[in-house]
Amino acid sequence: MIEADGVGKTYGKHVALKGLTLKVEAGEVFGLLGPNGAGKSTLTKIFCGLLTPTEGRASVAGHDVTRHAGAAKRTIGYLPDRVPVYRSMTARETLHLFARLQGIPRAEREARVEAMLDLVNLKDVDRRPVGGFSKGMTQRLGIARALLHDPKVLFFDEPASGLDPTGRREIRALIQGLAAEGRTVFLCSHDLAEVQAVCHRIAFLRKGELVRVMAVGEAGGQEREFRVDLAEMAPGVADALRALPGVARVEPDGLSLLVRASDAVDRAILARAVVRAGGLHLDVREVAPSLDSLYRAYIEHGETPEASA
């Protein structure tokens, strides 16, 4: 449903995307993770036909976004990070305006607007000027606007931004419902908890390059993570673990050490290293790498799956 084949984008000497290849299936909620400046917005804008790739090709719903831009855009709903609004207009007037711009027939507009206001819980404030809306209310209006023309593919940039816990749960349920209807949702976010809650697969993007694509909950291939609980944080224990072949990183966490290592490392190897370094371990156990742990490894520490393995 969404495909990129060798997509690259440069601005003069600055490389925003480097030969990126990716495929997202119909009905999938796909999360793109990375820091500011990694290329997430650039990739999203290329898929939405707002930017032209310097190299490679991108398509949405079978339509090349460059050669058949009009056909591709008709299948897309887009929620930007900052939703632009006409401050003097009401939510209802805003949706009616965009329904006309989307070419929705007059006979269908009122019902469609009503359905969208109800979907994002804005019916109680639909006649208030949008300029007085909170960030969360504006975000809901943006989602309603993106869904007006019944698109097959949704691109959401930080959809839960500015929402309270109740609003976050509602948006989470909405995204899951859209996927259940067979729509494809491409989600950019810094909120790891939200991504983990709604996405089927995720990709890590760093400096314009795709570091890894994986299913949510996947243990990380050959990468393993261990928690070593110590009686006390003896000097030299962390360095002894870092020196072991196959250990990628050791991080202190209170009286524990979090160890990321290859498949060649096991609990016994770690326990022996602690003892040799003069430490006393209370427990050594393997844990599933969390999304936060993987993000820190791939994005903040610059690891690659191959290097970790």
Side-chain angles (χ1 to χ4, degrees):
M1 187 58 75
I2 302 172
E3 291 190 53
D5 183 11
V7 168
K9 181 65 178 178
T10 58
Y11 300 94
K13 294 183 179 181
H14 174 68
V15 180
L17 292 175
K18 304 175 185 178
L20 190 146
T21 297
L22 179 68
K23 185 174 182 179
V24 181
E25 302 294 344
E28 185 175 13
V29 183
F30 189 91
L32 187 62
L33 299 175
N36 292 332
K40 301 189 305 298
S41 294
T42 298
L43 179 61
T44 300
K45 289 177 180 178
I46 286 174
F47 281 134
C48 292
L50 302 175
L51 288 175
T52 302
T54 308
E55 60 183 14
R57 65 177 293 273
S59 64
V60 175
H63 305 291
D64 187 291
V65 298
T66 301
R67 291 183 297 161
H68 307 115
K73 288 179 180 179
R74 284 191 289 273
T75 70
I76 292 171
Y78 176 50
L79 174 74
D81 181 24
R82 296 183 180 181
V83 179
V85 295
Y86 297 101
R87 296 177 61 84
S88 62
M89 296 180 69
T90 67
R92 182 176 291 275
E93 290 169 341
T94 298
L95 293 182
H96 269 287
L97 169 64
F98 281 92
R100 291 198 300 273
L101 293 175
Q102 292 284 3
I104 298 173
R106 180 188 296 270
E108 299 176 15
R109 287 177 200 160
E110 186 62 35
R112 192 67 187 161
V113 168
E114 286 291 334
M116 292 301 99
L117 289 168
D118 188 53
L119 184 67
V120 298
N121 290 327
L122 285 179
K123 290 193 76 171
D124 292 341
V125 295
D126 66 320
R127 300 186 188 279
R128 284 173 48 183
V130 173
F133 275 16
S134 67
K135 174 68 184 296
M137 292 163 67
T138 303
Q139 200 75 354
R140 295 184 194 194
L141 179 62
I143 292 173
R145 201 176 82 185
L147 291 168
L148 263 175
H149 59 296
D150 197 26
K152 296 179 181 178
V153 183
L154 285 308
F155 290 91
F156 286 166
D157 196 347
E158 300 289 352
S161 175
L163 298 179
D164 59 23
T166 300
R168 286 174 177 269
R169 287 194 296 271
E170 290 172 351
I171 297 305
R172 186 183 302 172
L174 171 62
I175 291 174
Q176 291 169 333
L178 292 170
E181 294 173 0
R183 302 179 204 262
T184 304
V185 182
F186 191 94
L187 177 67
C188 293
S189 180
H190 291 102
D191 192 329
L192 299 185
E194 286 299 311
V195 168
Q196 194 149 19
V198 302
C199 292
H200 302 121
R201 287 192 302 149
I202 53 175
F204 296 92
L205 191 65
R206 185 181 70 224
K207 296 181 180 179
E209 293 186 277
L210 204 58
V211 180
R212 178 160 187 195
V213 180
M214 60 179 285
V216 171
E218 186 179 322
Q222 291 186 316
E223 301 149 16
R224 306 173 73 177
E225 187 163 300
F226 299 88
R227 178 176 286 273
V228 181
D229 295 327
L230 303 171
E232 60 182 27
M233 191 59 73
V237 171
D239 287 338
L241 294 177
R242 291 189 185 101
L244 290 172
V247 170
R249 193 172 76 255
V250 178
E251 291 186 2
D253 183 20
L255 286 178
S256 298
L257 294 169
L258 295 177
V259 181
R260 292 192 67 245
S262 72
D263 195 45
V265 177
D266 60 24
R267 294 167 57 199
I269 290 173
L270 297 176
R272 287 195 295 269
V274 171
V275 172
R276 285 197 300 267
L280 175 62
H281 64 274
L282 301 177
D283 190 22
V284 180
R285 63 187 184 278
E286 185 170 359
V287 295
S290 66
L291 188 54
D292 179 68
S293 173
L294 293 171
Y295 185 91
R296 283 185 282 117
Y298 297 149
I299 303 302
E300 296 177 8
H301 296 284
E303 293 181 21
T304 63
E306 292 77 13
S308 298

